[in-house]
Amino acid sequence: MVLRLGPFKIPWLGKDSHKDDPYWGFFIDTPPADLANTVTELIRNAPEGNVFPTKAELHTPEITSSHVKGMAEYFGADMVGIVKLSSNEVPSSLPSPPPRGRGEGEGEEAYPFAVICVVRADYDPREAPGIGGQAPVQNGLFISFVLSAWIRELGFRATAVPDPDAEKLAALAGLGTLNEKGRLVTAQFGSNVHVANVIRTDLPLAADG
Amino acid sequence: MRAEKISETLDDAADAGGKATEAEFPIPYLGRSVKIVGPHVNVDMNQSPHPKNARGELGKPLFNWYRNTVSNDPLTRVSAPNHFADRRHFLTNLINRSTKGKINPQKVAVDDPAAMTRHIKAVAHYLGADVVGIAKAHPTFLYAGSRYVQDGTAEDAYQQETPEDLVRKFPYVIQATTAWDYNKLQAHRHQIGDAAYHVSQMKGVLMLKALEGYIKELGYTALRGVVTPQAAGVAGGIGELGRNGLVINKNFGARIHMPDPIMTDLPLVADEPVDIGVEDFCKICRKCANTCPTNSIPFGDKVVFNGIEKYKINWLTCYKLRPYVHDYWGSCLTCVAVCPFTKPNVWWHGLATWALHACPIPARPALVHALKWIDDRFWGVTRATRVSWLGYDSGIKPGDQACTVAGCTASHEGKSHSGAVDGDIGYYAPLKENTNRFVKRDA
């Protein structure tokens, strides 16, 4: 709720509360009867596009990293981190990387970096299956879909898949620490966060942490 | 003789039918900025710019621009319609072509439409909307012919029904929309301005799709591609229709999208049209008409077009410019950026629009002159602000190559690390004097 005085709004006198809304519980907690009514399923099932054949001219890895983070924040991420990966940090769900040109990238990791985007979650998506409860997942899917598509359009590999170690990677990127349940706890939002699909890429970046 | 009698009888019946329709659907009040003043033929979207262009009816340059060009900007390739290299990277396309979900057979009972209205607005905001309005549907707001969603499908089981029948069954229209980033919009006629426009458009499409799905989960119908967005926006109190043909909102000015709204039978309470002084401002201001690169915005008074009294822009000349500037930008946005209502959503902007709203109508011209003087003095008669964002820089002249990112030591082939690009002037293509020759002013 906000206090209104003519043209002025004073939002800091109280945060939005939905306790007077008789339908809010349905929005947050009732799982959809038809998954086709959700945007999350739509994005999850979307096929991955091709890598643009010409690589974009890049700045230094540090500047490229700041641009990737800036773009993710523009798409809606609340926190973004970058981690350097080793070969043992590859989930089984990861598709095999698209081939490069002959001789290019031989002997290198297919995806040397991971970009981790975190969004605020007012409700824990693991416990709130309604369309509203899944809103952080929807926001995370939007960010990882568009950001990975943008990196592919820059001419580099990028793939966004669900990752059981996403929160561990977020902690490695310095976005927070893991609590005893293995959940990410951030300085800004506490544990009210959702880690989006991890984007693995060969875009030359500078790792955090 | 007999034939004449039959004809008279039919005419009488038609008149009686028309009167009955008018009694059932009285002409809606749309605020002071736009009026329905005569017979209106519902618009067939197949005759609107994009479908006409897709059929090649607007000439080869426009057709090739629309169908056969790939943008040179990676962000545009993932966020703008039609200029992608890989269609799968454009999320809006995926959403617009998706399978429609089913209506939940277990309908949520709505005892209090006012509570549901507050709920659906809260849901829209929670899903990412910046502005939400509910319009009472009217047959004149609906498209003629089939459903229309750009680059997608919106078919439903009610396609054969008349606008009147649709309004009887689905009496409300929800218009929820997103605003464009003010700072990036200052680099209009530039890929930075495109980013503001296209990314917020994608977010809006996603939000509306989720809202459509949620209404179906509540157990009600949600039709898309049925209603003219501007009509729903004005009738639903989102804003007033400006000289530039855009709906102008009290918080965001003209920098809001008017996406495809949702027509529904969910019991709601409609909002009323608003008066924020756009009518009074547009009579005097004319900044959009003066700065439009193609002179597509009228300087003169409103006209009556298809029974609607409004400022009528020339959409064809607005559209025609695009193939020639494809290398620099995709969406012009000049009339949005210069509109004095387009400001950051902060207290002093709220104060100005509140003053206009509260001022008695006869006294408004004096206030408009004062506010326009302030706008010209502090924001400029035209916009040429330099904006730098993630490696983009509107201070680089169109056609020049330079890297202006501070601290960049990468070797950019063919680009200078230009310290020569200085000052706060932004460059936008094309300059107005270069377009005057192919589109003349109307007054």
Side-chain angles (χ1 to χ4, degrees):
Chain A
M1 281 296 171
V2 292
L3 180 70
R4 288 175 189 277
L5 293 171
F8 301 107
K9 286 187 283 186
I10 308 177
W12 56 85
L13 285 183
K15 67 178 228 177
D16 271 342
S17 160
H18 302 285
K19 66 181 175 194
D20 297 332
D21 185 341
Y23 308 105
W24 196 256
F26 180 89
F27 177 54
I28 299 299
D29 292 324
T30 307
D34 183 358
L35 281 178
N37 280 327
T38 69
V39 183
T40 46
E41 277 307 293
L42 184 66
I43 305 178
R44 276 192 190 115
N45 298 329
E48 198 170 271
N50 290 327
V51 175
F52 195 68
T54 311
K55 285 184 177 175
E57 211 173 86
L58 296 178
H59 304 280
T60 60
E62 290 75 17
I63 292 170
T64 305
S65 296
S66 74
H67 288 177
V68 167
K69 289 180 183 180
M71 197 61 86
E73 283 164 5
Y74 194 57
F75 294 150
D78 290 302
M79 301 169 83
V80 192
I82 295 169
V83 176
K84 180 102 175 71
L85 294 173
S86 57
S87 53
N88 58 2
E89 285 163 333
V90 177
S92 56
S93 54
L94 195 71
S96 55
R100 280 273 180 226
R102 190 184 299 169
E104 192 181 354
E106 278 176 17
E108 294 173 10
E109 295 289 344
Y111 298 110
F113 293 99
V115 181
I116 300 104
C117 299
V118 172
V119 292
R120 199 185 73 185
D122 295 334
Y123 305 90
D124 186 348
R126 298 170 210 218
E127 293 165 11
I131 287 180
Q134 295 298 302
V137 179
Q138 177 180 312
N139 295 339
L141 283 165
F142 172 80
I143 296 159
S144 54
F145 179 97
V146 186
L147 190 67
S148 59
W150 175 68
I151 294 173
R152 289 194 293 274
E153 287 294 342
L154 288 172
F156 295 86
R157 292 170 182 153
T159 187
V161 291
D163 189 334
D165 290 332
E167 300 199 71
K168 205 163 82 180
L169 289 172
L172 273 176
L175 299 179
T177 52
L178 297 181
N179 64 14
E180 66 279 4
K181 291 179 184 166
R183 297 291 313 274
L184 182 71
V185 180
T186 67
Q188 199 178 351
F189 306 110
S191 60
N192 296 334
V193 288
H194 167 72
V195 183
N197 284 351
V198 172
I199 299 169
R200 288 177 154 76
T201 180
D202 64 351
L203 184 69
L205 296 170
D208 298 321
Chain B
M1 185 72 181
R2 194 176 168 197
E4 274 174 23
K5 270 193 176 171
I6 289 170
S7 170
E8 277 172 21
T9 312
L10 283 174
D11 286 349
D12 289 347
D15 282 353
K19 278 172 191 160
T21 308
E22 203 172 305
E24 189 181 359
F25 303 108
I27 293 172
Y29 174 67
L30 298 175
R32 295 174 60 231
S33 64
V34 58
K35 285 189 180 77
I36 301 176
V37 295
H40 173 77
V41 178
N42 289 41
V43 177
D44 181 357
M45 283 307 285
N46 283 320
Q47 300 307 318
S48 66
H50 289 313
K52 278 170 93 83
N53 197 13
R55 295 192 299 267
E57 292 169 17
L58 302 180
K60 281 182 185 173
L62 274 171
F63 177 81
N64 282 323
W65 163 78
Y66 191 73
R67 296 294 291 266
N68 300 330
T69 55
V70 172
S71 173
N72 59 12
D73 174 42
L75 182 56
T76 304
R77 291 200 295 267
V78 301
S79 61
N82 298 79
H83 306 299
F84 31 69
D86 186 333
R87 183 185 285 275
R88 290 171 295 185
H89 286 165
F90 184 45
L91 185 62
T92 302
N93 189 279
L94 182 76
I95 292 170
N96 286 351
R97 287 167 183 257
S98 63
T99 315
K100 287 184 168 289
K102 293 186 184 71
I103 295 169
N104 189 348
Q106 290 182 313
K107 189 177 270 197
V108 172
V110 179
D111 303 322
D112 181 2
M116 179 50 83
T117 304
R118 286 193 297 276
H119 172 67
I120 215 74
K121 287 185 177 181
V123 164
H125 283 297
Y126 194 75
L127 293 172
D130 291 308
V131 191
V132 191
I134 314 285
K136 192 168 183 326
H138 189 271
T140 53
F141 300 170
L142 273 58
Y143 295 140
S146 56
R147 306 287 182 252
Y148 175 76
V149 171
Q150 190 185 355
D151 204 16
T153 51
E155 277 136 21
D156 56 59
Y158 304 94
Q159 303 223 135
Q160 302 308 317
E161 305 214 4
T162 64
E164 288 77 13
D165 285 340
L166 283 173
V167 170
R168 284 184 197 108
K169 281 184 181 143
F170 309 109
Y172 299 103
V173 182
I174 302 167
Q175 182 57 296
T177 187
T178 48
W180 325 340
D181 175 2
Y182 175 79
N183 292 324
K184 286 173 196 59
L185 174 64
Q186 301 314 299
H188 59 92
R189 280 188 274 155
H190 195 282
Q191 283 163 344
I192 300 174
D194 281 355
Y197 182 83
H198 291 136
V199 173
S200 57
Q201 187 176 45
M202 269 200 302
K203 287 182 180 176
V205 168
L206 186 82
M207 173 270 297
L208 275 163
K209 184 72 183 173
L211 189 62
E212 174 195 331
Y214 179 61
I215 292 169
K216 289 180 179 173
E217 285 298 321
L218 285 169
Y220 296 86
T221 306
L223 300 183
R224 306 297 301 278
V226 191
V227 181
T228 309
Q230 282 76 7
V234 173
I238 282 184
E240 289 184 272
L241 199 67
R243 182 181 285 274
N244 52 13
L246 302 169
V247 175
I248 296 176
N249 173 260
K250 65 175 183 177
N251 293 329
F252 301 101
R255 59 184 176 100
I256 52 168
H257 294 279
M258 274 297 112
D260 174 34
I262 300 170
M263 192 177 195
T264 183
D265 53 353
L266 182 68
L268 296 168
V269 178
D271 294 307
E272 293 295 323
V274 291
D275 172 18
I276 56 168
V278 168
E279 165 71 4
D280 311 281
F281 219 106
C282 288
K283 264 185 192 162
I284 292 166
C285 172
R286 295 186 174 84
K287 279 182 98 158
C288 56
N290 273 314
T291 49
C292 173
T294 60
N295 301 320
S296 302
I297 300 172
F299 286 83
D301 292 334
K302 290 179 188 175
V303 294
V304 176
F305 180 78
N306 191 16
I308 314 282
E309 187 188 80
K310 61 177 182 176
Y311 294 108
K312 172 87 176 68
I313 67 159
N314 185 340
W315 64 264
L316 185 59
T317 52
C318 172
Y319 209 68
K320 261 184 179 174
L321 180 64
R322 302 178 192 197
Y324 304 100
V325 293
H326 178 70
D327 287 346
Y328 307 111
W329 49 263
S331 300
C332 177
L333 317 175
T334 306
C335 58
V336 180
V338 299
C339 177
F341 280 91
T342 302
K343 292 283 181 293
N345 183 17
V346 290
W347 68 268
W348 45 262
H349 183 218
L351 182 64
T353 45
W354 176 80
L356 271 166
H357 166 75
C359 182
I361 290 170
R364 285 187 187 176
L367 180 59
V368 168
H369 279 292
L371 290 172
K372 182 166 182 289
W373 181 86
I374 292 170
D375 194 70
D376 287 347
R377 175 75 180 77
F378 292 98
W379 281 271
V381 175
T382 58
R383 290 284 189 283
T385 314
R386 180 176 174 182
V387 183
S388 301
W389 178 64
L390 305 184
Y392 297 91
D393 187 348
S394 68
I396 301 167
K397 286 183 184 170
D400 284 1
Q401 300 286 322
C403 171
T404 58
V405 178
C408 182
T409 52
S411 59
H412 294 294
E413 210 171 291
K415 272 188 188 177
S416 62
H417 274 286
S418 185
V421 181
D422 54 11
D424 288 329
I425 296 174
Y427 292 94
Y428 305 108
L431 299 174
K432 189 174 168 68
E433 50 266 35
N434 294 335
T435 58
N436 279 342
R437 59 192 160 83
F438 83 90
V439 187
K440 299 294 180 197
R441 290 185 175 192
D442 69 340

